[in-house]
Amino acid sequence: MGALALLLFLALALAPRWLRAKAQAHGFPPGFPGRTGEGRVEVEVHAPLPVLLRAEVGGSAALGLAPREVLALAWGRARLGLSLPYRYRRRGAHALPTLHLRARGVLGLGERRLALPLGEALVYPALRPLPPLLPAPAFFLEGRRTPRGLPDPLEAVGLRPYRPGDPLRLLARKTSLRLGRPLVREVERRLEGGLFLHLDAESLHPSYLDHAASLALGLLLEAERRGERYGLSAGEVLPLGRGKAHLRRALELLARFAPSPTPLLPPPAPWGSTYVLVSQAAEEAFLKAALKGARRAREGVLILLPEGYFLFPGEKGRPVYGKPPGLERALRYRGLLLAHGLRLVVVRGHETPRFAGE
């Protein structure tokens, strides 16, 4: 009898060692700052012997989460739930607080601690009104693009009768001779143009990434509203497109936009697009890549934020004096940039962005 009591005592003391647990968070959808809701954390535990559980989730200032905890007695399979009201506050891909699970034997002996990750929540940039930037009008190219990047006007999708004004190079000679009437090849017409935006991730001020992301968001939403194609380069490259799914991918890129110790060089502009670049540091390597990347653009704009921030409409600030190194470099390149089709727009820390003029 004493041996059985001793075995039972040891089993209860060692019960926390045999605990198995997993956790999952629900109800934290991507959203803009200010979004409120209530997420939930579900904890599934398997305890062969009874244990006392204490589950704790810490707070998060970026997500507006307050610390929460729950106490329970578990034996066998059990589920615990914690509700986590949130209010998104700051842009970014924020990790949800780790769930710390503390298990103790019912006799107060033996203890085990588990740290269970809960994933992340995406917070989009702040949605603030900004002046629009109108891309250059789109235009049509006939034919599909070949691997060399040139349109093939003879890539036909069908035949139709000849109409006055049709180019003779589209005339289907053999078919016209066989049928006894002139026919021309009907080629595919493809829309060119749109807005392509690149964000430099080299940040010299903690506000630069958020202000650049908000600026990009305003430009992309305006392009989506007008039904124009748009693309984004912000660590990853999102090609030209439009629609809700395309906009969600762009928003995710802006939420994950993170600083880089070196310039994030702009990729080449899509053919016939409006090429918009945003930078704070404007390093030499960045400016040279911008000159090279603008060759295929129809027009280009380099938006420079020397201080890394600007005023949204309705905000007031103090005048900023002096020329940061990035501004001096950009001004030295100003003539060369303009010769390559890139207009320089400087937005100081006490100004609101304006895109209509220099």
Side-chain angles (χ1 to χ4, degrees):
M1 193 69 177
L4 290 177
L6 179 60
L7 288 176
L8 179 61
F9 178 80
L10 291 175
L12 293 176
L14 296 176
R17 293 178 177 269
W18 301 325
L19 178 74
R20 298 292 179 268
K22 59 181 180 180
Q24 190 172 9
H26 306 278
F28 292 92
F32 294 96
R35 176 169 185 163
T36 60
E38 184 172 305
R40 186 166 181 82
V41 176
E42 299 288 345
V43 186
E44 182 179 344
V45 298
H46 177 60
L49 292 173
V51 292
L52 298 173
L53 297 178
R54 180 174 183 173
E56 299 175 317
V57 177
S60 171
L63 299 176
L65 292 176
R68 290 295 179 99
E69 68 175 33
V70 64
L71 302 175
L73 172 65
W75 190 0
R77 294 189 178 274
R79 288 181 177 272
L80 306 178
L82 290 87
S83 65
L84 297 177
Y86 63 83
R87 180 183 180 85
Y88 293 161
R89 294 179 178 174
R90 191 166 63 244
R91 181 201 66 87
H94 303 290
L96 294 172
T98 301
L99 182 136
H100 295 277
L101 188 64
R102 180 181 176 184
R104 301 190 66 178
V106 292
L107 300 179
L109 300 176
E111 182 175 299
R112 186 182 180 192
R113 297 174 183 265
L114 296 176
L116 305 177
L118 298 177
E120 66 176 11
L122 287 179
V123 182
Y124 299 145
L127 185 58
R128 306 285 292 274
L130 287 171
L133 186 150
L134 300 179
F139 60 94
F140 282 101
L141 284 181
E142 291 183 344
R144 298 175 182 172
R145 191 171 301 286
T146 66
R148 293 181 178 272
L150 299 175
D152 181 8
L154 300 183
E155 187 68 39
V157 295
L159 297 174
R160 60 170 175 80
Y162 172 83
R163 292 194 292 263
D166 287 335
L168 294 180
R169 61 190 173 88
L170 298 180
L171 186 65
R173 294 181 175 84
K174 293 184 179 180
T175 306
S176 299
L177 290 175
R178 185 174 68 251
L179 298 180
R181 63 179 187 276
L183 297 173
V184 295
R185 297 181 179 89
E186 183 73 57
V187 298
E188 182 183 15
R189 293 173 65 83
R190 190 167 46 80
L191 185 65
E192 289 290 319
L195 173 71
F196 188 79
L197 182 63
H198 172 79
L199 301 182
D200 184 11
E202 185 178 13
S203 175
L204 306 179
H205 190 279
S207 297
Y208 166 71
L209 296 177
D210 292 336
H211 278 72
S214 291
L215 176 59
L217 175 62
L219 299 179
L220 297 182
L221 287 178
E222 181 64 23
E224 174 69 25
R225 186 188 65 81
R226 293 194 302 267
E228 299 179 352
R229 299 192 306 164
Y230 53 90
L232 175 65
S233 170
E236 298 180 22
V237 177
L238 179 66
L240 293 178
R242 58 175 172 263
K244 292 183 178 180
H246 187 75
L247 180 60
R248 281 196 297 269
R249 289 193 292 270
L251 288 172
E252 181 176 351
L253 279 184
L254 293 176
R256 298 185 182 277
F257 183 46
S260 170
T262 58
L264 188 61
L265 302 183
W271 289 96
S273 64
T274 297
Y275 196 40
V276 180
L277 311 172
V278 181
S279 178
Q280 179 189 4
E283 297 284 359
E284 296 277 352
F286 178 86
L287 294 173
K288 292 178 180 177
L291 295 174
K292 184 178 180 180
R295 293 175 181 174
R296 300 189 300 186
R298 198 170 190 193
E299 69 173 5
V301 180
L302 171 57
I303 303 175
L304 185 67
L305 310 177
E307 285 75 35
Y309 56 89
F310 53 83
L311 296 182
F312 288 99
E315 294 181 341
K316 296 182 179 180
R318 298 179 180 179
V320 178
Y321 301 101
K323 293 182 180 179
L327 178 56
E328 291 185 349
R329 277 191 295 270
L331 292 177
R332 287 200 307 267
Y333 271 78
R334 190 171 197 163
L336 189 58
L337 291 169
L338 193 58
H340 284 73
L342 279 171
R343 178 167 53 93
L344 177 63
V345 175
V346 179
V347 182
R348 303 300 300 268
H350 66 290
E351 298 174 342
T352 300
R354 298 185 304 274
F355 307 120
E358 298 187 14

